Amino acid sequence: MKTNINRRQSLGLIAGASLAPMGWEALAQDSSWKPTEMIRYVIGVAPGGSVDLYARGIKQMLESQQRVHGQTVLAENKPGAAGLLGLQQLQRNRGNAHHLGTFHTGSIAGQATGMLKADMREFVPVAMMVEETSLVAVRADSPLRNVQDLLARLQRDASSVSFAVAPVRGLNTHLAIAKPLKVAGVAVDKLTVVPFRSSGDSMVALLGGNVDVVSATGPTVMPQVQAGKVRVLASASPQRGTGLMAAVPTWREQGVAADYVSYNGVLLPGGVDAEQIRFWESALRQVAESAAWQAMVEKSGNRPMFKGYVDSHRYLEAELAETRALVDALGLGPA
């Protein structure tokens, strides 16, 4: 790709489009775009879960670390239709880099299962900033003491245990429990799966005795572990985490050869140009490399990291293909 390409030209990023890494680097070297008005950050889930936690952390640090040239970042939750309402807001502002959205594995899973009536490839994933570990947890007084107890119950009757997921069936918190259970020989199409608006609501249901098990990420589960109210049975990470997560055994350690990792980051509307992508990639990289951000993510039980536009775009394409294969194997795909 030549460096004299019109820098205001849309990158597109619709289905089937891609931008070679060397071309991207050359195109963005002299980026000069900066925000000139309030930035609207739409969070496509209800408050209370990890997507909301990290989005609000990004908003706070963009402002406090002065990464947005004096502009305000307005974060607003827009849950509904498996994240579609938030994405529609981005679509209405195509080409306007004063609008941000949440980019996470759950949206890709939603597209693969047919729950999300949108094509994630029509948007621009500009950064991945958190590697999330999915956990399966029960109340501290649950008779399900470990993974073996859970599997024994489910193998007798797959519908006998109720699982809380969020925000709907077929997204990442559902896949994170369905995948290892499928590998362990459980009839996952017969599971009793109860969706809630957010993982925070899932945890309330667990603590209230309305469900038996919750599948959620670290920020939702670990505070209740610290409070002595919840016990974690397994992590879907390939290896044990650090800090509080170091005590949580993986599915693989317990004889189930399966894992499921989610990523969380930032999305831009389609039609933005190279200068705008370059600005946000740089600003978010600086947030991701800050001690304050890393401490917040580590405290939540997940791993801070950073992947920019090129790697995020590649991940989107690869994860969509892999998740489609997974949901087909699990029988969770669209009818």
Side-chain angles (χ1 to χ4, degrees), residues 230-245:
V230 165
R231 182 172 63 256
V232 181
L233 301 186
S235 160
S237 176
Q239 63 279 322
R240 289 200 184 200
T242 58
L244 291 174
M245 297 289 287

Side-chain angles (χ1 to χ4, degrees), residues 23-42:
W24 159 247
E25 290 169 1
L27 185 60
Q29 282 175 350
D30 60 350
S31 172
S32 61
W33 183 87
K34 294 176 177 58
T36 57
E37 60 188 63
M38 182 174 67
I39 296 145
R40 295 183 177 273
Y41 193 167
V42 60

Side-chain angles (χ1 to χ4, degrees), residues 2-326:
K2 297 180 180 179
T3 57
N4 64 354
I5 289 176
N6 180 354
R7 284 168 169 76
R8 305 305 297 178
Q9 181 179 350
S10 167
L11 296 180
L13 292 183
I14 58 176
S18 63
L19 186 64
M22 289 303 293
W24 159 247
E25 290 169 1
L27 185 60
Q29 282 175 350
D30 60 350
S31 172
S32 61
W33 183 87
K34 294 176 177 58
T36 57
E37 60 188 63
M38 182 174 67
I39 296 145
R40 295 183 177 273
Y41 193 167
V42 60
I43 306 170
V45 299
S50 62
V51 174
D52 180 66
L53 170 73
Y54 295 130
R56 292 187 178 278
I58 291 168
K59 166 223 163 18
Q60 178 185 353
M61 293 183 194
L62 283 170
E63 292 178 332
S64 65
Q65 296 175 18
Q66 301 181 358
R67 305 299 181 196
V68 288
H69 295 267
Q71 301 300 325
T72 299
V73 181
L74 175 64
E76 56 180 336
N77 294 84
K78 207 169 188 66
L84 179 61
L85 298 185
L87 292 175
Q88 286 176 333
Q89 182 164 317
L90 284 188
Q91 284 179 320
R92 288 192 291 270
N93 291 280
R94 180 176 172 81
N96 187 344
H98 293 93
H99 291 261
L100 306 178
T102 46
F103 175 52
H104 56 97
T105 302
S107 298
I108 301 172
Q111 180 178 340
T113 58
M115 297 292 175
L116 176 62
K117 306 302 182 184
D119 189 339
M120 292 299 298
R121 294 168 296 182
E122 294 180 1
F123 303 90
V124 181
V126 70
M128 299 192 305
M129 300 173 68
V130 184
E131 182 180 286
E132 296 185 283
T133 298
S134 294
L135 306 174
V136 55
V138 297
R139 291 185 305 280
D141 61 356
S142 171
L144 300 172
R145 305 296 302 175
N146 48 47
V147 159
Q148 287 70 35
D149 287 347
L150 177 63
L151 293 178
R153 175 88 65 86
L154 292 170
Q155 285 162 353
R156 288 194 301 270
D157 181 357
S159 66
S160 64
V161 177
S162 54
F163 292 87
V165 302
V168 294
R169 295 178 181 87
L171 298 192
N172 57 320
T173 57
H174 186 184
L175 296 183
I177 186 67
K179 183 178 180 181
L181 293 181
K182 174 75 170 180
V183 170
V186 173
V188 293
D189 58 328
K190 294 181 170 59
L191 294 177
T192 301
V193 178
V194 185
F196 292 87
R197 290 180 71 242
S198 72
S199 289
D201 290 344
S202 293
M203 185 58 67
V204 170
L206 179 71
L207 295 176
N210 298 310
V211 293
D212 301 310
V213 179
V214 68
S215 177
T217 54
T220 303
V221 176
M222 296 312 291
Q224 301 302 331
V225 173
Q226 289 180 287
K229 297 178 180 180
V230 165
R231 182 172 63 256
V232 181
L233 301 186
S235 160
S237 176
Q239 63 279 322
R240 289 200 184 200
T242 58
L244 291 174
M245 297 289 287
V248 178
T250 67
W251 283 100
R252 288 185 178 275
E253 286 180 72
Q254 300 177 84
V256 180
D259 47 68
Y260 189 94
V261 177
S262 300
Y263 292 94
N264 200 310
V266 178
L267 199 66
L268 290 170
V272 294
D273 65 36
E275 294 178 9
Q276 294 166 331
I277 293 175
R278 177 63 175 175
F279 171 84
W280 282 115
E281 183 180 61
S282 176
L284 293 165
R285 183 188 298 275
Q286 291 174 83
V287 168
E289 292 176 350
S290 70
W293 171 259
Q294 293 178 11
M296 187 198 83
V297 175
E298 288 172 353
K299 183 179 179 181
S300 76
N302 286 319
R303 187 175 77 87
M305 43 84 75
F306 185 83
K307 298 288 186 183
Y309 158 70
V310 171
D311 286 332
S312 296
H313 181 51
R314 287 172 175 164
Y315 167 76
L316 169 58
E317 295 281 359
E319 182 68 13
L320 183 57
E322 291 175 10
T323 304
R324 281 173 169 157
L326 172 61

